[in-house]
Amino acid sequence: MIRSSQSIVYYKCSWGNYYPSDNYPFMYKCRSAYSSIIKFRYADVLLLKAEALIMKASPDLNAAADIIDKVRQRAGLSKLSSSVRGNKDAMEQALLKERRLELAFEGQRWFDLVRLDKVETVMNAVFAKDPGRKALAYPFDQNSYRLPIPQAAIDKNKNLVQNAGY
């Protein structure tokens, strides 16, 4: 609940399309015109260290779990269970969930999914489980990890080759 109240605020509005007008949610994390960009987060550094411990050739899952638990305890949550702590795949899922919740609205999620090669799995699942969304015209695939190179750049440098899928 601590993270939710630091990320979302509910205001009364004179208008309302989707929610009751007396309880409309707004992003709340960046509250000041003077400091609207989060440049460096200790929790981000901790979770990146945990990721490195999970992904190395011989993973140190207990050390990674201890780091994730630090972030969870600050947010008022319990420690990871022993079944999660002993399984690399479960630890990877716990890490992704922790980063998604702790760094909500900070622009990290896409880069986490790309770095961990999870774009197709996660993004296609979001569209599959939400019947209220329009059908996905172009499902996420291996070409979704890169953006197109601007045509003007290709025109200036004949050595550049357009990324696949564009």
Side-chain angles (χ1 to χ4, degrees), residues 11-24:
Y11 290 131
K12 185 174 183 175
C13 304
S14 59
W15 48 268
N17 296 331
Y18 303 105
Y19 303 97
S21 62
D22 62 341
N23 197 27
Y24 219 86

Side-chain angles (χ1 to χ4, degrees), residues 13-138:
C13 304
S14 59
W15 48 268
N17 296 331
Y18 303 105
Y19 303 97
S21 62
D22 62 341
N23 197 27
Y24 219 86
F26 292 92
M27 185 179 77
Y28 185 62
K29 195 164 256 187
C30 301
R31 295 178 287 282
S32 169
Y34 300 107
S35 62
S36 61
I37 298 172
I38 297 169
K39 295 178 182 169
F40 198 66
R41 287 275 313 275
Y42 184 54
D44 187 16
V45 173
L46 289 175
L47 292 171
L48 286 171
K49 182 176 181 181
E51 180 182 324
L53 291 169
I54 293 167
M55 297 303 174
K56 68 183 193 173
S58 54
D60 189 350
L61 299 180
N62 282 326
D66 290 342
I67 293 170
I68 293 171
D69 284 343
K70 258 189 198 179
V71 176
R72 290 177 59 82
Q73 286 180 314
R74 187 217 37 93
L77 300 170
S78 62
K79 292 184 175 186
L80 294 172
S81 69
S82 58
S83 63
V84 170
R85 294 174 76 97
N87 182 309
K88 183 178 178 181
D89 291 333
M91 280 294 294
E92 189 177 332
Q93 288 303 105
L95 172 78
L96 267 173
K97 182 177 181 182
E98 203 59 36
R99 286 188 62 81
R100 180 173 57 91
L101 297 173
E102 179 66 28
L103 305 172
F105 305 121
E106 295 181 25
Q108 299 289 334
R109 181 71 170 162
W110 176 257
F111 301 104
D112 292 343
L113 295 176
V114 168
R115 188 175 59 252
L116 296 172
D117 197 25
K118 300 280 187 191
V119 170
E120 297 155 88
T121 308
V122 172
M123 296 305 293
N124 288 328
V126 167
F127 281 85
K129 71 180 177 185
D130 188 353
R133 287 183 187 248
K134 288 185 176 182
L136 190 58
Y138 300 101

